[in-house]
Structures are given as structure tokens and as C-alpha cells.
């Protein structure tokens, strides 16, 4: 399963985003992670429809939408989800999770369920056939710069075993929250293959060098 890096666009320098996008393209970044927050499901607001549309027009890198909103079915069609993009919906955020996942796949995108630190893996039981991936939150969602929740690595390991035991060996695991190189190595060894990169990994200092160092250190 291919390892993928997904820089969090919430952490970008918005004034110099064009230059940062060129760095992402030059370094073969696989996904661009978009945190969509409504101030209700999580205590913060980010990124809007116009920003996402303009970003999609500015780069060919697939977008990785992470909807941290109540009732995502009410807003998801306002976002420019394209064939080949990835879309995560939190298990607790909707009464109609299966319907949403099927709708995401109907757009040609990859459907994922996001699990908060306190959300059990068993929430996936009745949507396993609708999944392309699972997003494990290794911090409580809403803000950058948080510390890793201690049991997150073990949760990734348990999830990989759960998916494999149910014949879902092709379902990918994404991790989001304090994914430093050290934590990424632990997550990779536990079974994760998509890594959301933020302030603990690439956005401080020389971004191009940081991405290269991260790949070399985590993937060898």
C-alpha cells in the first residue's frame, strides 16, 4: 500500500500559498488535507467553499477533505469534490453515514470514516463495504499544535488488525494530529500509510527540506 503525505492546508502561509503549492508539486506530495470546521462539531472555523474551489483550480494534487461538521450531508455538495479526491466523514456527525459514503463514491472520490480519540472502532462494523479508508484522529480535532493522545498508536494497530480480519486489507489508514517524524514512524509500524503533516513536521523552517527529511526518516 502506497505511503502518502497530506500537508494540512490550515497550517499554510496563506499569503504565500502559491509558492508553497509549487513546493508540494515539486516534492510529489500525494494529497492536500482540507479541514472543514463549522464551530459546532469542533470549536473552531476553517476552511470554506471558495478557498477549496480556488485550491482545486490551482493544483492537480488530489484534495483530502476532512469534514468536521454537524450534518455534513447539508453542506458536502457545496464543496468541489472531484474524481480521485478523498473525503472523510466523522462517524458521530450524521444519522446517515452509509448514504453519505455511497454518495462520495458516486462522485468518483474515495470515502473514509473519521474516528475521534474516544470513538470506538466498532462504529465501522456496518459500513465496511462502503470504505476506502479510515482517518484516525490522534488528537482531539479542532486545533493544530496539540499533543498526541497516548493510545492513538495502539488504536491504529487494532484498526489494521480489525480491517484485515474482515478481509479489508485494501482499506487505507490515515492519521492526523501531531504527526512528527517520530510519531509517524510509530504510526507506520502500526499500520498507517497516510500522514497528515502540520506544525510538528513541515511547516516550520525550510518546507522542501522538511518534506525530504520526513520521507527519508519515516519511509527509509
Amino acid at each position: 500500500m502506497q505511503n502518502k503525505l497530506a500537508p494540512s492546508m490550515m497550517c499554510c502561509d496563506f499569503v504565500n500559498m502559491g509558492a508553497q503549492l509549487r513546493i508540494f508539486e515539486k516534492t510529489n506530495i500525494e494529497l492536500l488535507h482540507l479541514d472543514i470546521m463549522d464551530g459546532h462539531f469542533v470549536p473552531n472555523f476553517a476552511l470554506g467553499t471558495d478557498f477549496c474551489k480556488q485550491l482545486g483550480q490551482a493544483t492537480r494534487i488530489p484534495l483530502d477533505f476532512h469534514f468536521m461538521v454537524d450534518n455534513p450531508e447539508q453542506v458536502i455538495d457545496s464543496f468541489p469534490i472531484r474524481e480521485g479526491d478523498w473525503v472523510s466523514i466523522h462517524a458521530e456527525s450524521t444519522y446517515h453515514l452509509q448514504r453519505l459514503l455511497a454518495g462520495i463514491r458516486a462522485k468518483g472520490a474515495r470515502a473514509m470514516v473519521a474516528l475521534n480519540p474516544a470513538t470506538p472502532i466498532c462504529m465501522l462494523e456496518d459500513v465496511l463495504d462502503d470504505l476506502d479508508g479510515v482517518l484516525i484522529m490522534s488528537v482531539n480535532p479542532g486545533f493544530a499544535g496539540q499533543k498526541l493522545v497516548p493510545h492513538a498508536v495502539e488504536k491504529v494497530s487494532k484498526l489494521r488488525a480489525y480491517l484485515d480480519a474482515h478481509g479489508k486489507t485494501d482499506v487505507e489508514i490515515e492519521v492526523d494530529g501531531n504527526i512528527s517524524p517520530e510519531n509517524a514512524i510509530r504510526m507506520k509500524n502500526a499500520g498507517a500509510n497516510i500522514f497528515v503533516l502540520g506544525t510538528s513536521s513541515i511547516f516550520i523552517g525550510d518546507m522542501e527540506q522538511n518534506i525530504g527529511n520526513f520521507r527519508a526518516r519515516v519511509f527509509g
Side-chain angles (χ1 to χ4, degrees):
M1 203 174 292
Q2 180 191 5
N3 292 312
K4 302 178 181 70
L5 301 185
S8 174
M9 301 307 289
M10 187 175 72
C11 299
C12 274
D13 177 355
F14 289 93
V15 174
N16 297 300
M17 184 164 293
Q20 293 189 333
L21 283 177
R22 303 292 82 80
I23 291 173
F24 294 152
E25 292 168 348
K26 181 180 179 181
T27 56
N28 298 312
I29 286 294
E30 289 82 6
L31 300 169
L32 298 178
H33 189 78
L34 298 172
D35 290 307
I36 315 300
M37 308 184 198
D38 64 354
H40 296 280
F41 187 76
V42 293
N44 199 359
F45 294 90
L47 299 161
T49 54
D50 288 342
F51 173 86
C52 295
K53 289 175 182 177
Q54 291 181 32
L55 182 65
Q57 294 167 357
T59 182
R60 294 182 180 179
I61 300 174
L63 304 181
D64 179 29
F65 293 90
H66 178 193
F67 284 92
M68 291 174 273
V69 303
D70 285 328
N71 303 309
E73 61 273 9
Q74 296 178 5
V75 301
I76 193 169
D77 287 336
S78 299
F79 287 83
I81 297 170
R82 312 167 298 185
E83 184 174 355
D85 287 341
W86 293 69
V87 184
S88 296
I89 303 294
H90 276 265
E92 316 92 331
S93 68
T94 178
Y95 292 113
H96 305 292
L97 183 59
Q98 192 281 332
R99 181 189 298 170
L100 266 173
L101 296 174
I104 291 165
R105 282 182 156 183
K107 296 175 183 288
R110 311 292 297 277
M112 304 182 71
V113 171
L115 300 179
N116 279 333
T119 305
I121 292 170
C122 64
M123 294 288 285
L124 303 172
E125 181 177 0
D126 292 321
V127 293
L128 284 174
D129 290 339
D130 302 288
L131 287 179
D132 297 296
V134 179
L135 170 58
I136 293 290
M137 293 302 303
S138 45
V139 301
N140 287 292
F143 297 95
Q146 300 184 66
K147 292 183 178 180
L148 188 81
V149 173
H151 76 277
V153 177
E154 181 183 1
K155 188 171 185 178
V156 172
S157 181
K158 288 180 177 179
L159 173 61
R160 185 71 271 163
Y162 177 85
L163 293 171
D164 292 351
H166 286 80
K168 302 300 179 182
T169 57
D170 59 340
V171 171
E172 305 191 40
I173 298 177
E174 182 172 13
V175 286
D176 182 4
N178 197 269
I179 307 301
S180 64
E182 295 82 5
N183 288 334
I185 291 170
R186 297 168 65 202
M187 296 287 195
K188 178 179 179 293
N189 291 338
N193 71 291
I194 305 175
F195 304 87
V196 178
L197 306 182
T199 54
S200 64
S201 53
I202 67 166
F203 283 101
I204 296 176
D206 187 321
M207 183 180 295
E208 184 174 345
Q209 184 178 28
N210 290 342
I211 292 170
N213 290 342
F214 188 98
R215 286 195 192 276
R217 186 169 178 186
V218 177
F219 306 143

